[in-house]
Amino acid sequence: MKNWIFHLGLAAIAVLCLLSIFGAFLGAENARAFFNSVPLAAWWIGFTVLLVMSIAAFRALHKRSMLFLMHAGCVLILLGGLWGSRTGQKMTA
């Protein structure tokens, strides 16, 4: 299970890099619309769930406070970004 979460996390980070490169060439308004679209909102939620699963699966994160805080901070940033986006507000309404 840990190996699966680790490799899926690496793949998600690679997809995030590719999406960021693609978004850089769209312009500000188109990039905002792209990253706030419903399919990418689902991807952000999946990425957040994957981070939470990694915190639960890897007990070494609980022993190393800086690693734990780094993962927890990423989760909080992603949740705040989803909560503040128009798509996130539409999904909760």
Side-chain angles (χ1 to χ4, degrees):
M1 177 81 168
K2 289 182 184 181
N3 198 20
W4 180 79
I5 292 172
F6 180 75
H7 285 97
L8 194 58
L10 287 177
I13 291 170
V15 168
L16 179 61
C17 290
L18 293 173
L19 288 173
S20 297
I21 291 169
F22 178 74
F25 294 104
L26 293 177
E29 286 300 315
N30 291 334
R32 183 173 59 85
F34 174 68
F35 283 106
N36 288 327
S37 65
V38 175
L40 276 179
W43 186 85
W44 289 113
I45 291 169
F47 189 57
T48 305
V49 168
L50 185 63
L51 277 171
V52 170
M53 286 174 49
S54 69
I55 291 172
F58 293 99
R59 295 291 177 200
L61 291 175
H62 298 263
K63 295 177 184 174
R64 298 183 182 124
S65 60
M66 287 299 145
L67 286 175
F68 174 77
L69 290 174
M70 184 172 28
H71 282 76
C74 290
V75 169
L76 291 175
I77 288 170
L78 288 171
L79 288 176
L82 284 169
W83 187 30
S85 70
R86 288 183 189 161
T87 306
Q89 290 174 0
K90 287 179 187 176
M91 291 174 74
T92 59

